[in-house]
Amino acid sequence: MTEKASVPGPRPGHGDAQRLVGVGLGARPAPSGLPADRADRDACQPGSTGSLDDLVHEIFDGHWDMIRGDLDGPLTFSWPDEEWDYEAAPEGREACEAARWEQFSAMLTTAGFPVPTTVRDLSELSLTWGLARREETPDGTRWSMPAALPGDLLPLDPELTERLDGIRWTMRTGPLLDTLIDHLVDDLGEPTKAVTSLDRLAAATGQDIDDVRLAVAELVKSGDARVRRGEEPADAERLEAHCRFRLVMDWEHFHEHRIQVSRGD
């Protein structure tokens, strides 16, 4: 089966915690922080007990090459063997890495936090920040994450704040947009035009009307669709639930600009 994936990631929630550590501090998730992300999230599942070392061994089954080392491996901001994007970062890997570390360290030091250098340090920092909790129980070490994440933890510059706001918005709207796209592709067969309404789309996708409105607005914003009422363009964000409108899709633009993810069932 081939699916369209507009953006990766679920809605913000428990699994968002470590993502905020990696993305929020370094403007990009550190690849060597992935075991901390995966282990902390899996550790917090109901019924899971054990140290992070035990959990990482269980999760990755000893295949440390997948994560570039163990919990005591160094943090980095790029995959060592990835092809470097000189258009995005013309200064090169070493200079870009050094700049990220300078930004990363300065924000933490200013806020009075230690600068982690290993994956284990990053997991400990998540405990300090309240992104995760750890307690000893008769069954072993128990991890948990709060129902609501803490607020701003670090002073961020305007550019990074804007970038993070974009990431959070994408994480919020991405799953909603994917559900709407699945309906348009799988159920309706990629129609060029569809006369519908928000309440009809909500019923067809199992989402609430406000979420469908967000998804339609994101389709329009990305250039994949236009919304019209009669012959006039309409504001997707101001559509009433019951009002019929024409969703005009640009599938050529859609397929050109969205990532295809193939998944075998």
Side-chain angles (χ1 to χ4, degrees):
M1 176 182 177
T2 300
E3 290 188 338
K4 297 298 297 185
S6 58
V7 291
R11 300 188 194 192
H14 287 187
D16 191 38
Q18 278 294 339
R19 211 168 284 110
L20 290 180
V21 174
V23 179
L25 297 184
R28 173 181 175 180
S32 56
L34 290 175
D37 180 0
R38 176 79 182 274
D40 279 10
R41 284 186 288 118
D42 284 23
C44 294
Q45 298 301 314
S48 295
T49 57
S51 67
L52 277 186
D53 297 85
D54 294 337
L55 286 159
V56 169
H57 275 287
E58 179 179 344
I59 294 164
F60 294 101
D61 195 27
H63 295 294
W64 295 111
D65 57 313
M66 295 172 58
I67 56 175
R68 306 300 197 273
D70 56 21
L71 291 177
D72 295 307
L75 294 173
T76 62
F77 289 92
S78 63
W79 292 109
D81 56 356
E82 73 178 338
E83 183 177 348
W84 190 253
D85 186 347
Y86 283 95
E87 290 188 9
E91 68 273 27
R93 185 191 304 275
E94 291 185 5
C96 182
E97 185 90 5
R100 290 184 184 277
W101 270 109
E102 182 179 358
Q103 180 189 36
F104 179 82
S105 301
M107 284 190 291
L108 285 165
T109 301
T110 299
F113 295 108
V115 179
T117 58
T118 68
V119 180
R120 191 184 305 279
D121 292 342
L122 186 60
S123 287
E124 290 297 321
L125 186 58
S126 72
L127 294 171
T128 300
W129 281 347
L131 298 176
R133 302 190 185 100
R134 178 178 60 198
E135 62 177 330
E136 297 300 323
T137 74
D139 297 323
T141 304
R142 177 82 67 184
W143 293 71
S144 63
M145 283 186 176
L149 298 180
D152 293 338
L153 297 165
L154 295 173
L156 304 178
D157 61 57
E159 180 183 353
L160 184 53
T161 299
E162 182 179 358
R163 189 181 309 174
L164 286 175
D165 286 344
I167 291 171
R168 293 186 181 108
W169 182 250
T170 297
M171 292 173 65
R172 165 74 174 101
T173 60
L176 311 179
L177 187 53
D178 288 341
T179 300
L180 176 59
I181 289 170
D182 285 345
H183 171 60
L184 294 172
V185 173
D186 297 337
D187 300 334
L188 303 183
E190 297 192 8
T192 302
K193 300 177 183 178
V195 177
T196 185
S197 63
L198 293 180
D199 52 9
R200 287 185 180 183
L201 290 174
T205 60
Q207 300 185 110
D208 66 45
I209 290 172
D210 287 338
D211 285 347
V212 172
R213 184 183 289 107
L214 279 179
V216 172
E218 286 300 299
L219 269 183
V220 173
K221 183 179 178 180
S222 65
D224 292 327
R226 289 174 292 129
V227 170
R228 304 185 73 86
R229 295 202 65 203
E231 298 302 318
E232 299 297 323
D235 185 348
E237 297 182 6
R238 296 180 180 276
L239 290 170
E240 296 293 337
H242 63 282
C243 290
R244 298 180 71 184
F245 62 89
R246 228 173 348 132
L247 184 66
V248 183
M249 295 295 301
D250 184 343
W251 290 108
E252 182 177 350
H253 183 278
F254 175 86
H255 289 297
E256 182 179 351
H257 292 89
R258 293 193 182 274
I259 300 171
Q260 289 242 20
V261 177
S262 296
R263 184 183 69 186
D265 289 338

